[in-house]
Amino acid sequence: MTVNEYCGSMESSILDFIFSLTDDILEKIQYRKLFYQEQIARYVQKQIDFFFNTYNLKTALLYSYKHEAYNTIMFKLKNHLKEHNILQCV
């Protein structure tokens, strides 16, 4: 049984998006294209908004998906942000 069969095609594509965006951000951090925590958060939010524009969902469900995707990505990046000494405004 594949992930696509287990979760459904939409949820599977959201998971693929989360993993690919996380890898993209880690690469940008490594090459110092993103180096502020707020810059990374804005980039993540913008990419999530672009991704979910293709789905025609109710507003509450769309907000919930966006929120969970953002939290998942930022959680996966948390240790990498500390490891690479990402700047943070206080």
Side-chain angles (χ1 to χ4, degrees), residues 3-4 8-18 20 51 55:
V3 174
N4 196 9
S9 63
M10 187 175 95
E11 285 81 6
S12 176
S13 67
I14 292 171
L15 286 173
D16 289 339
F17 167 73
I18 288 172
S20 66
F51 177 76
Y55 291 105

Side-chain angles (χ1 to χ4, degrees), residues 64-78:
S64 176
Y65 275 135
K66 286 181 179 182
H67 182 71
E68 287 301 317
Y70 178 81
N71 285 340
T72 302
I73 292 169
M74 294 308 286
F75 179 76
K76 289 175 67 71
L77 292 174
K78 189 166 84 173

Side-chain angles (χ1 to χ4, degrees), residues 9 16-17 19 23 34-35 37 58 67 76:
S9 63
D16 289 339
F17 167 73
F19 289 125
D23 292 340
L34 296 173
F35 47 87
Q37 188 171 359
K58 293 183 179 181
H67 182 71
K76 289 175 67 71

Side-chain angles (χ1 to χ4, degrees), residues 40-74:
I40 293 168
R42 281 194 314 266
Y43 180 75
V44 168
Q45 193 63 46
K46 190 183 299 184
Q47 293 299 317
I48 289 172
D49 289 339
F50 286 146
F51 177 76
F52 280 104
N53 279 341
T54 60
Y55 291 105
N56 188 16
L57 300 170
K58 293 183 179 181
T59 307
L61 186 59
L62 185 64
Y63 179 77
S64 176
Y65 275 135
K66 286 181 179 182
H67 182 71
E68 287 301 317
Y70 178 81
N71 285 340
T72 302
I73 292 169
M74 294 308 286

